[in-house]
Amino acid sequence: AQSVAQPEDQVNVAEGNPLTVKCTYSVSGNPYLFWYVQYPNRGLQFLLKYITGDNLVKGSYGFEAEFNKSQTSFHLKKPSALVSDSALYFCAVRDMGSNFGNEKLTFGTGTRLTIIP
Amino acid sequence: EPEVTQTPSHQVTQMGQEVILRCVPISNHLYFYWYRQILGQKVEFLVSFYNNEISEKSEIFDDQFSVERPDGSNFTLKIRSTKLEDSAMYFCASRPTSGPADTQYFGPGTRLTVL
């Protein structure tokens, strides 16, 4: 079974400071990893994904994430936070080795990021 | 940029009634999904659909639920007899090809309230 843990329900960061939103995962094989963002009363917007290759992946709105296989982590980062980054962030995983038909993404519980002006 | 669309944005129904939630996936996408998010909880997978049949479903997706692609553009989720605990935000998603690395793109959701 695959699972995702987001250990922090809430992260507060001052505007202009670097931010990190943590995610760890568990899969039986190799993972596909995703970050999505949810703004109030909106759907899930794709930010970035790790498939293979470079452990540091870059995505939308200046976000990046670092895949660490030994620590089974995929933390989301941004060098300088904006007030507009305030939202709910979800990490998700899919088992790369899963059979056809096992299509699902497994999501973490989400981390509410608040950027303080 | 193409988007997944969902209608209605909010549906209120009485317990025991049938509801149909509608989704229009991105036009060249082949794989379709429904997820739900109970208020304050995480997003949960319900069902995946490919080539006009269910490819996987979760334990949540019991006999009260069904999915259909009635034409070339729509993808629907039907709840036959709604229960209070079906109140949630329901998200449709789609992805383009058979490549497992492809991203699932989500619609804005339908908020279902069962009274």
Side-chain angles (χ1 to χ4, degrees):
Chain A
Q2 54 198 45
S3 65
V4 174
Q6 293 182 244
E8 301 157 317
D9 292 335
Q10 173 83 41
V11 171
N12 297 325
V13 177
E15 186 178 18
N17 282 2
L19 68 87
T20 299
V21 182
K22 296 178 181 177
C23 170
T24 58
Y25 66 89
S26 174
V27 295
S28 57
N30 290 315
Y32 291 128
L33 292 157
F34 303 82
W35 276 101
Y36 287 85
V37 59
Q38 185 179 34
Y39 296 100
N41 301 314
R42 301 285 298 277
L44 297 165
Q45 294 182 33
F46 168 72
L47 272 182
L48 52 78
K49 66 182 177 184
Y50 171 81
I51 304 303
T52 187
D54 194 347
N55 289 342
L56 185 66
V57 293
K58 295 185 183 298
S60 307
Y61 312 119
F63 283 93
E64 58 190 28
E66 186 168 12
F67 171 65
N68 187 318
K69 187 172 183 178
S70 63
Q71 297 185 4
T72 62
S73 67
F74 188 57
H75 300 331
L76 182 70
K77 300 180 180 184
K78 187 173 182 180
S80 178
L82 301 172
V83 172
S84 58
D85 294 330
S86 298
L88 189 57
Y89 290 81
F90 289 96
C91 181
V93 69
R94 182 185 166 185
D95 189 342
M96 190 190 298
S98 56
N99 295 328
F100 175 78
N102 186 5
E103 309 281 345
K104 65 180 181 184
L105 291 177
T106 298
F107 285 84
T109 51
T111 298
R112 186 164 300 282
L113 176 65
T114 300
I115 307 302
I116 302 165
Chain B
E1 184 176 335
E3 294 180 335
V4 176
T5 60
Q6 291 184 243
T7 55
S9 58
H10 191 189
Q11 173 99 40
V12 181
T13 189
Q14 297 291 325
M15 188 171 56
Q17 295 296 305
E18 175 184 286
V19 294
I20 298 176
L21 310 183
R22 290 182 168 80
C23 169
V24 178
I26 296 172
S27 63
N28 63 340
H29 285 192
L30 301 177
Y31 292 78
F32 314 112
Y33 310 84
W34 284 101
Y35 292 80
R36 79 172 186 189
Q37 183 183 30
I38 294 172
L39 186 64
Q41 298 185 24
K42 66 179 177 179
V43 178
E44 301 174 290
F45 170 80
L46 291 178
V47 65
S48 57
F49 190 87
Y50 169 72
N51 199 26
N52 284 319
E53 61 183 27
I54 291 173
S55 50
E56 187 185 7
K57 60 183 180 180
S58 72
E59 294 175 352
I60 303 167
F61 195 88
D62 61 22
D63 292 343
Q64 295 297 319
F65 291 86
S66 63
V67 289
E68 190 178 31
R69 188 155 164 82
D71 53 42
S73 59
N74 290 284
F75 179 52
T76 62
L77 174 69
K78 181 191 291 186
I79 308 175
R80 188 159 57 89
S81 177
T82 51
K83 303 187 279 285
L84 294 176
E85 54 265 37
D86 293 329
S87 295
M89 180 74 91
Y90 288 81
F91 293 107
C92 174
S94 68
R95 70 175 175 87
T97 71
S98 60
D102 282 328
T103 301
Q104 293 180 26
Y105 292 92
F106 286 76
T110 293
R111 182 169 297 284
L112 176 65
T113 302
V114 182
L115 303 177

